[in-house]
mmCIF file of all heavy atoms in Angstrom:
data_model
loop_
_atom_site.group_PDB
_atom_site.id
_atom_site.type_symbol
_atom_site.label_atom_id
_atom_site.label_comp_id
_atom_site.label_asym_id
_atom_site.label_seq_id
_atom_site.Cartn_x
_atom_site.Cartn_y
_atom_site.Cartn_z
ATOM 1 N N GLU A 15 4.938 3.841 32.829
ATOM 2 C CA GLU A 15 5.911 2.737 32.900
ATOM 3 C C GLU A 15 5.176 1.395 32.794
ATOM 4 O O GLU A 15 4.089 1.222 33.330
ATOM 5 C CB GLU A 15 6.678 2.802 34.224
ATOM 6 C CG GLU A 15 7.257 4.175 34.560
ATOM 7 C CD GLU A 15 8.221 4.693 33.513
ATOM 8 O OE1 GLU A 15 8.956 3.883 32.920
ATOM 9 O OE2 GLU A 15 8.234 5.921 33.286
ATOM 10 N N LYS A 19 4.855 -0.367 25.778
ATOM 11 C CA LYS A 19 5.076 0.539 24.645
ATOM 12 C C LYS A 19 6.169 0.052 23.688
ATOM 13 O O LYS A 19 5.969 0.031 22.483
ATOM 14 C CB LYS A 19 5.477 1.887 25.231
ATOM 15 C CG LYS A 19 5.024 3.076 24.523
ATOM 16 C CD LYS A 19 5.203 4.346 25.370
ATOM 17 C CE LYS A 19 6.235 4.313 26.447
ATOM 18 N NZ LYS A 19 7.622 4.213 26.043
ATOM 19 N N SER A 20 7.330 -0.307 24.247
ATOM 20 C CA SER A 20 8.469 -0.661 23.379
ATOM 21 C C SER A 20 8.145 -1.883 22.515
ATOM 22 O O SER A 20 8.450 -1.905 21.319
ATOM 23 C CB SER A 20 9.718 -0.931 24.208
ATOM 24 O OG SER A 20 9.923 0.160 25.062
ATOM 25 N N ARG A 41 13.120 6.706 19.273
ATOM 26 C CA ARG A 41 12.690 6.863 20.668
ATOM 27 C C ARG A 41 13.122 8.237 21.178
ATOM 28 O O ARG A 41 14.185 8.745 20.824
ATOM 29 C CB ARG A 41 13.269 5.765 21.557
ATOM 30 C CG ARG A 41 14.779 5.818 21.736
ATOM 31 C CD ARG A 41 15.225 4.814 22.778
ATOM 32 N NE ARG A 41 16.674 4.841 22.971
ATOM 33 C CZ ARG A 41 17.318 4.091 23.826
ATOM 34 N NH1 ARG A 41 16.658 3.226 24.572
ATOM 35 N NH2 ARG A 41 18.630 4.176 23.967
ATOM 36 N N ASP A 42 12.252 8.826 21.996
ATOM 37 C CA ASP A 42 12.508 10.138 22.581
ATOM 38 C C ASP A 42 12.547 9.969 24.103
ATOM 39 O O ASP A 42 11.550 9.497 24.671
ATOM 40 C CB ASP A 42 11.378 11.099 22.154
ATOM 41 C CG ASP A 42 11.549 12.500 22.716
ATOM 42 O OD1 ASP A 42 12.654 12.829 23.179
ATOM 43 O OD2 ASP A 42 10.554 13.257 22.702
ATOM 44 N N PRO A 43 13.596 10.353 24.813
ATOM 45 C CA PRO A 43 14.824 10.931 24.277
ATOM 46 C C PRO A 43 15.700 9.863 23.630
ATOM 47 O O PRO A 43 15.753 8.732 24.110
ATOM 48 C CB PRO A 43 15.505 11.525 25.524
ATOM 49 C CG PRO A 43 15.004 10.697 26.666
ATOM 50 C CD PRO A 43 13.610 10.280 26.282
ATOM 51 N N ARG A 53 20.078 11.451 26.928
ATOM 52 C CA ARG A 53 19.233 10.403 27.522
ATOM 53 C C ARG A 53 19.925 9.772 28.736
ATOM 54 O O ARG A 53 19.316 9.576 29.781
ATOM 55 C CB ARG A 53 18.920 9.329 26.473
ATOM 56 C CG ARG A 53 18.058 8.196 27.028
ATOM 57 C CD ARG A 53 17.828 7.086 26.007
ATOM 58 N NE ARG A 53 17.093 6.011 26.632
ATOM 59 C CZ ARG A 53 15.764 5.854 26.554
ATOM 60 N NH1 ARG A 53 15.043 6.679 25.843
ATOM 61 N NH2 ARG A 53 15.165 4.860 27.184
ATOM 62 N N LEU A 57 18.318 9.696 32.433
ATOM 63 C CA LEU A 57 17.665 8.481 32.944
ATOM 64 C C LEU A 57 18.502 7.680 33.930
ATOM 65 O O LEU A 57 18.088 6.603 34.356
ATOM 66 C CB LEU A 57 17.238 7.578 31.777
ATOM 67 C CG LEU A 57 16.297 8.200 30.747
ATOM 68 C CD1 LEU A 57 15.746 7.145 29.808
ATOM 69 C CD2 LEU A 57 15.155 8.944 31.409
ATOM 70 N N GLU A 69 15.673 19.821 33.872
ATOM 71 C CA GLU A 69 15.245 18.556 33.282
ATOM 72 C C GLU A 69 14.375 18.784 32.037
ATOM 73 O O GLU A 69 14.574 18.153 30.994
ATOM 74 C CB GLU A 69 14.461 17.768 34.332
ATOM 75 C CG GLU A 69 14.042 16.395 33.877
ATOM 76 C CD GLU A 69 13.449 15.616 35.036
ATOM 77 O OE1 GLU A 69 14.211 15.019 35.799
ATOM 78 O OE2 GLU A 69 12.211 15.630 35.173
ATOM 79 N N TYR A 73 15.168 17.562 28.153
ATOM 80 C CA TYR A 73 14.261 16.802 27.273
ATOM 81 C C TYR A 73 14.016 17.568 25.976
ATOM 82 O O TYR A 73 13.964 16.982 24.885
ATOM 83 C CB TYR A 73 12.923 16.503 27.976
ATOM 84 C CG TYR A 73 12.992 15.287 28.863
ATOM 85 C CD1 TYR A 73 12.903 15.392 30.249
ATOM 86 C CD2 TYR A 73 13.175 14.020 28.316
ATOM 87 C CE1 TYR A 73 12.993 14.275 31.056
ATOM 88 C CE2 TYR A 73 13.268 12.894 29.124
ATOM 89 C CZ TYR A 73 13.177 13.034 30.494
ATOM 90 O OH TYR A 73 13.276 11.925 31.292
ATOM 91 N N ARG A 77 14.927 16.356 22.254
ATOM 92 C CA ARG A 77 13.821 16.243 21.270
ATOM 93 C C ARG A 77 14.122 17.054 20.010
ATOM 94 O O ARG A 77 13.841 16.622 18.902
ATOM 95 C CB ARG A 77 12.520 16.723 21.924
ATOM 96 C CG ARG A 77 11.307 16.615 21.015
ATOM 97 C CD ARG A 77 10.020 16.744 21.811
ATOM 98 N NE ARG A 77 10.011 15.784 22.882
ATOM 99 C CZ ARG A 77 9.728 16.080 24.158
ATOM 100 N NH1 ARG A 77 9.373 17.299 24.503
ATOM 101 N NH2 ARG A 77 9.782 15.152 25.087
ATOM 102 N N ASP A 98 8.653 6.360 20.021
ATOM 103 C CA ASP A 98 8.416 5.916 21.390
ATOM 104 C C ASP A 98 8.529 7.163 22.258
ATOM 105 O O ASP A 98 9.632 7.592 22.565
ATOM 106 C CB ASP A 98 9.498 4.880 21.736
ATOM 107 C CG ASP A 98 9.279 4.212 23.076
ATOM 108 O OD1 ASP A 98 8.547 4.777 23.906
ATOM 109 O OD2 ASP A 98 9.866 3.141 23.295
ATOM 110 N N ARG A 99 7.390 7.782 22.573
ATOM 111 C CA ARG A 99 7.261 9.032 23.324
ATOM 112 C C ARG A 99 7.561 10.260 22.462
ATOM 113 O O ARG A 99 8.290 10.189 21.491
ATOM 114 C CB ARG A 99 8.171 9.098 24.561
ATOM 115 C CG ARG A 99 7.954 7.975 25.557
ATOM 116 C CD ARG A 99 8.668 8.278 26.873
ATOM 117 N NE ARG A 99 8.451 7.238 27.855
ATOM 118 C CZ ARG A 99 7.351 7.117 28.587
ATOM 119 N NH1 ARG A 99 6.397 8.012 28.457
ATOM 120 N NH2 ARG A 99 7.198 6.133 29.433
ATOM 121 N N PHE A 100 7.008 11.410 22.918
ATOM 122 C CA PHE A 100 7.300 12.711 22.321
ATOM 123 C C PHE A 100 6.829 13.779 23.313
ATOM 124 O O PHE A 100 6.857 13.543 24.521
ATOM 125 C CB PHE A 100 6.626 12.817 20.920
ATOM 126 C CG PHE A 100 7.271 13.812 19.998
ATOM 127 C CD1 PHE A 100 8.602 13.701 19.636
ATOM 128 C CD2 PHE A 100 6.545 14.897 19.476
ATOM 129 C CE1 PHE A 100 9.201 14.623 18.779
ATOM 130 C CE2 PHE A 100 7.137 15.820 18.628
ATOM 131 C CZ PHE A 100 8.452 15.674 18.282
ATOM 132 N N THR A 101 6.342 14.909 22.816
ATOM 133 C CA THR A 101 6.019 16.053 23.698
ATOM 134 C C THR A 101 5.064 15.717 24.846
ATOM 135 O O THR A 101 5.193 16.265 25.935
ATOM 136 C CB THR A 101 5.367 17.168 22.857
ATOM 137 O OG1 THR A 101 6.154 17.326 21.686
ATOM 138 C CG2 THR A 101 5.304 18.466 23.607
ATOM 139 N N ASP A 102 4.100 14.836 24.614
ATOM 140 C CA ASP A 102 3.134 14.535 25.682
ATOM 141 C C ASP A 102 3.799 13.934 26.911
ATOM 142 O O ASP A 102 3.282 14.068 28.018
ATOM 143 C CB ASP A 102 2.030 13.609 25.173
ATOM 144 C CG ASP A 102 1.050 14.361 24.296
ATOM 145 O OD1 ASP A 102 0.720 15.522 24.633
ATOM 146 O OD2 ASP A 102 0.621 13.815 23.270
ATOM 147 N N SER A 103 4.939 13.269 26.721
ATOM 148 C CA SER A 103 5.647 12.738 27.892
ATOM 149 C C SER A 103 6.114 13.882 28.788
ATOM 150 O O SER A 103 6.104 13.769 30.011
ATOM 151 C CB SER A 103 6.878 11.924 27.466
ATOM 152 O OG SER A 103 6.502 10.651 27.006
ATOM 153 N N THR A 104 6.516 14.997 28.169
ATOM 154 C CA THR A 104 6.957 16.142 28.978
ATOM 155 C C THR A 104 5.774 16.744 29.728
ATOM 156 O O THR A 104 5.867 17.093 30.903
ATOM 157 C CB THR A 104 7.640 17.209 28.089
ATOM 158 O OG1 THR A 104 8.629 16.566 27.301
ATOM 159 C CG2 THR A 104 8.303 18.286 28.931
ATOM 160 N N TYR A 105 4.622 16.853 29.039
ATOM 161 C CA TYR A 105 3.422 17.349 29.740
ATOM 162 C C TYR A 105 3.066 16.409 30.897
ATOM 163 O O TYR A 105 2.778 16.857 32.010
ATOM 164 C CB TYR A 105 2.228 17.432 28.785
ATOM 165 C CG TYR A 105 2.305 18.573 27.792
ATOM 166 C CD1 TYR A 105 2.296 18.336 26.418
ATOM 167 C CD2 TYR A 105 2.371 19.898 28.220
ATOM 168 C CE1 TYR A 105 2.357 19.377 25.498
ATOM 169 C CE2 TYR A 105 2.434 20.944 27.314
ATOM 170 C CZ TYR A 105 2.426 20.677 25.950
ATOM 171 O OH TYR A 105 2.493 21.711 25.055
ATOM 172 N N TYR A 107 4.914 13.829 32.502
ATOM 173 C CA TYR A 107 5.903 13.593 33.563
ATOM 174 C C TYR A 107 6.346 14.895 34.254
ATOM 175 O O TYR A 107 6.306 14.998 35.476
ATOM 176 C CB TYR A 107 7.138 12.878 33.005
ATOM 177 C CG TYR A 107 6.943 11.396 32.780
ATOM 178 C CD1 TYR A 107 6.192 10.924 31.704
ATOM 179 C CD2 TYR A 107 7.516 10.455 33.629
ATOM 180 C CE1 TYR A 107 6.010 9.564 31.486
ATOM 181 C CE2 TYR A 107 7.347 9.088 33.419
ATOM 182 C CZ TYR A 107 6.590 8.652 32.346
ATOM 183 O OH TYR A 107 6.419 7.307 32.134
ATOM 184 N N GLN A 108 6.777 15.882 33.440
ATOM 185 C CA GLN A 108 7.283 17.103 34.060
ATOM 186 C C GLN A 108 6.133 18.020 34.480
ATOM 187 O O GLN A 108 6.214 18.703 35.497
ATOM 188 C CB GLN A 108 8.242 17.837 33.106
ATOM 189 C CG GLN A 108 9.651 17.244 33.048
ATOM 190 C CD GLN A 108 9.715 15.847 32.472
ATOM 191 O OE1 GLN A 108 9.178 15.579 31.395
ATOM 192 N NE2 GLN A 108 10.332 14.928 33.207
ATOM 193 N N ARG A 155 14.605 -4.492 31.704
ATOM 194 C CA ARG A 155 14.952 -3.481 32.688
ATOM 195 C C ARG A 155 16.252 -3.806 33.399
ATOM 196 O O ARG A 155 16.478 -3.404 34.513
ATOM 197 C CB ARG A 155 13.821 -3.331 33.709
ATOM 198 C CG ARG A 155 12.597 -2.756 33.088
ATOM 199 C CD ARG A 155 12.835 -1.312 32.711
ATOM 200 N NE ARG A 155 11.898 -0.922 31.681
ATOM 201 C CZ ARG A 155 11.619 0.334 31.368
ATOM 202 N NH1 ARG A 155 12.223 1.313 31.987
ATOM 203 N NH2 ARG A 155 10.780 0.615 30.420
ATOM 204 N N GLU A 159 18.393 2.415 33.625
ATOM 205 C CA GLU A 159 17.438 3.482 33.332
ATOM 206 C C GLU A 159 16.181 3.368 34.185
ATOM 207 O O GLU A 159 15.091 3.154 33.686
ATOM 208 C CB GLU A 159 17.077 3.464 31.848
ATOM 209 C CG GLU A 159 18.253 3.809 30.955
ATOM 210 C CD GLU A 159 17.883 3.786 29.481
ATOM 211 O OE1 GLU A 159 16.745 3.394 29.157
ATOM 212 O OE2 GLU A 159 18.732 4.144 28.670
ATOM 213 N N PHE A 162 12.851 7.068 36.760
ATOM 214 C CA PHE A 162 11.434 7.399 36.889
ATOM 215 C C PHE A 162 10.617 6.280 37.520
ATOM 216 O O PHE A 162 9.646 6.540 38.206
ATOM 217 C CB PHE A 162 10.852 7.816 35.538
ATOM 218 C CG PHE A 162 11.253 9.204 35.175
ATOM 219 C CD1 PHE A 162 12.366 9.440 34.410
ATOM 220 C CD2 PHE A 162 10.543 10.292 35.668
ATOM 221 C CE1 PHE A 162 12.764 10.726 34.104
ATOM 222 C CE2 PHE A 162 10.933 11.585 35.370
ATOM 223 C CZ PHE A 162 12.049 11.800 34.579
ATOM 224 N N GLU A 163 11.057 5.035 37.285
ATOM 225 C CA GLU A 163 10.337 3.935 37.934
ATOM 226 C C GLU A 163 10.480 4.051 39.456
ATOM 227 O O GLU A 163 9.675 3.547 40.207
ATOM 228 C CB GLU A 163 10.871 2.576 37.480
ATOM 229 C CG GLU A 163 10.381 2.111 36.119
ATOM 230 C CD GLU A 163 11.351 2.450 35.020
ATOM 231 O OE1 GLU A 163 12.138 3.405 35.204
ATOM 232 O OE2 GLU A 163 11.317 1.776 33.978
HETATM 233 P P1 TMP B 1 11.390 4.821 28.292
HETATM 234 O O1 TMP B 1 12.207 4.806 27.060
HETATM 235 O O2 TMP B 1 11.529 3.592 29.108
HETATM 236 O O3 TMP B 1 10.003 5.203 28.062
HETATM 237 O O4 TMP B 1 12.105 5.903 29.216
HETATM 238 C C1 TMP B 1 12.005 7.225 29.065
HETATM 239 C C2 TMP B 1 11.795 7.820 30.451
HETATM 240 O O5 TMP B 1 11.894 9.245 30.369
HETATM 241 C C3 TMP B 1 10.436 7.505 31.026
HETATM 242 O O6 TMP B 1 10.565 7.229 32.405
HETATM 243 C C4 TMP B 1 9.677 8.789 30.847
HETATM 244 C C5 TMP B 1 10.730 9.857 30.885
HETATM 245 N N1 TMP B 1 10.430 11.032 30.080
HETATM 246 C C6 TMP B 1 10.086 12.238 30.704
HETATM 247 O O7 TMP B 1 10.039 12.301 31.917
HETATM 248 N N2 TMP B 1 9.827 13.319 29.941
HETATM 249 C C7 TMP B 1 9.892 13.307 28.577
HETATM 250 O O8 TMP B 1 9.639 14.325 27.927
HETATM 251 C C8 TMP B 1 10.230 12.056 27.938
HETATM 252 C C9 TMP B 1 10.308 11.973 26.448
HETATM 253 C C10 TMP B 1 10.490 10.951 28.716
#
Side-chain angles (χ1 to χ4, degrees):
E15 310 301 325
K19 215 167 24 67
S20 308
R41 67 172 180 179
D42 180 16
R53 179 184 176 96
L57 302 191
E69 184 172 276
Y73 277 112
R77 182 165 306 131
D98 187 340
R99 302 192 179 281
F100 203 59
T101 314
D102 285 320
S103 283
T104 309
Y105 287 121
Y107 282 75
Q108 281 65 51
R155 293 291 158 163
E159 294 180 354
F162 283 93
E163 281 96 336

